[in-house]
Amino acid sequence: MRRSERKVTDPDIGIMSARLLFSVQKELFQKLAEQGHPRLRPQHGAVMGFIDEEGSRATELSRLSGTHKQVIGNLIDELEALDYVERHPDPKDRRAKLIMPTALGRDQMRKSDAIIAAIERRHAEVIGEQEYENFKTVFRKITALQRKQFDEAPTRREQPSEVADEPA
């Protein structure tokens, strides 16, 4: 069997995750566009999917979304130009900035949460509530296991000889 055929008939976890992500994003952003948010793109989800109503620091958005800080900064600039977020001094640390959703941003957040909840309900109805909860539990565990290797990665680049000498 050709590799391309195998990826269709027996997809690996990366392929399945990507298919799920892209399909959910497509539905989410189509519905958001229909509900008054046509200028948003899936990349904006790295900010809008994690921002708190009371505001969030860019470094926290970067950590939560797994997106590089520079990319988050660019997305914040775009969202600020689109009137979805504003930068405000952080009352806990005046040197820091809080990224605050505007009224338009809060509207998008509420609608996005409702759309995602409807998608989840639809899947739970089709496969059953318990099976869907089991899927989410297992998916969370796999995601945590996969991300853990990067959360615990050394902060400096090790030489191959250093890695080889470490116990397995």
Side-chain angles (χ1 to χ4, degrees):
M1 176 183 292
R2 294 179 64 204
R3 183 176 186 267
S4 60
E5 293 169 359
R6 183 174 39 82
K7 293 290 186 172
V8 172
T9 60
D10 187 21
D12 59 51
I13 191 170
I15 298 291
M16 289 188 296
S17 297
R19 286 179 181 163
L20 178 60
L21 171 65
F22 296 146
S23 181
V24 169
Q25 283 181 333
K26 184 175 183 177
E27 182 174 351
L28 172 63
F29 285 90
Q30 281 179 349
K31 290 187 183 223
L32 282 172
E34 293 166 6
Q35 295 179 26
H37 300 278
R39 299 181 300 167
L40 290 178
R41 299 178 297 123
Q43 295 87 334
H44 293 136
V47 173
M48 298 307 297
F50 295 93
I51 194 169
D52 289 320
E53 285 207 31
E54 63 275 8
S56 302
R57 287 187 180 184
T59 53
E60 185 68 0
L61 295 170
S62 173
R63 184 186 68 76
L64 290 170
S65 69
T67 305
H68 193 277
K69 287 190 316 187
Q70 185 175 357
V71 173
I72 290 293
N74 291 338
L75 292 170
I76 290 168
D77 291 342
E78 289 178 21
L79 289 165
E80 193 169 34
L82 293 171
D83 195 34
Y84 280 88
V85 300
E86 299 173 328
R87 289 176 169 95
H88 292 278
D90 186 338
K92 296 177 184 171
D93 181 354
R94 290 289 180 185
R95 297 168 296 170
K97 296 284 185 196
L98 276 181
I99 311 308
M100 306 280 294
T102 62
L104 186 63
R106 288 188 301 278
D107 180 68
Q108 181 276 339
M109 291 162 64
R110 282 188 295 278
K111 288 176 178 172
S112 175
D113 289 347
I115 293 164
I116 293 294
I119 291 170
E120 291 201 66
R121 273 193 311 277
R122 184 179 71 228
H123 292 306
E125 288 171 6
V126 170
I127 67 169
E129 296 284 335
Q130 188 59 55
E131 192 166 353
Y132 186 73
E133 280 307 312
N134 292 344
F135 161 76
K136 284 183 66 175
T137 298
V138 171
F139 200 73
R140 273 192 293 272
K141 288 178 183 178
I142 291 169
T143 302
L145 286 169
Q146 181 63 34
R147 292 188 66 176
K148 184 178 180 183
Q149 69 179 332
F150 295 104
D151 294 341
E152 294 177 354
T155 55
R156 66 179 179 86
R157 180 174 225 133
E158 294 181 348
Q159 298 302 315
S161 62
E162 292 176 310
V163 175
D165 291 341
E166 290 182 11

